[in-house]
Amino acid sequence: MKLQLPTAHSILITILVIVAVAAQFVPAGQYDKIAYQSGSGKFVLQKTSGEDLLPATQQTLDSLKVLIPVAKFVSGDIFKPVAVPN
């Protein structure tokens, strides 16, 4: 009896099943986010432990290592929360 290698389709389906099962056990990532509140003119830092209000300045963004100009938030170009690096 000669040993045969599995086909490409068999290998891909096996990898797909392994990834689908692994996705059920790997927890989703949670990130800190920053959003601009136009009414108060402040940033809201949304953490997993709660929210903080921060002044809407470029120094605040620089300290959080967000490389977006504050003018983009103030003008309304960015209106959704943005992930904070690290």
Side-chain angles (χ1 to χ4, degrees):
M1 183 176 195
K2 204 172 195 183
L3 187 63
Q4 291 183 343
L5 294 174
T7 64
H9 287 104
S10 301
I11 294 171
L12 289 174
I13 290 172
T14 303
I15 291 172
L16 179 68
V17 169
I18 291 170
V19 169
V21 170
Q24 300 301 314
F25 297 105
V26 176
Q30 299 215 352
Y31 304 98
D32 293 346
K33 297 178 211 152
I34 192 165
Y36 180 72
Q37 272 188 339
S38 59
S40 66
K42 294 196 178 271
F43 285 124
V44 177
L45 180 61
Q46 302 166 347
K47 299 180 182 180
T48 55
S49 61
E51 292 184 351
D52 292 334
L53 284 176
L54 301 172
T57 63
Q58 189 63 47
Q59 290 80 16
T60 301
L61 293 175
D62 292 343
S63 69
L64 295 172
K65 297 180 182 157
V66 176
L67 303 176
I68 301 172
V70 72
K72 294 276 189 182
F73 289 96
V74 175
S75 68
D77 289 343
I78 298 176
F79 54 89
K80 291 186 177 182
V82 175
V84 176
N86 300 327

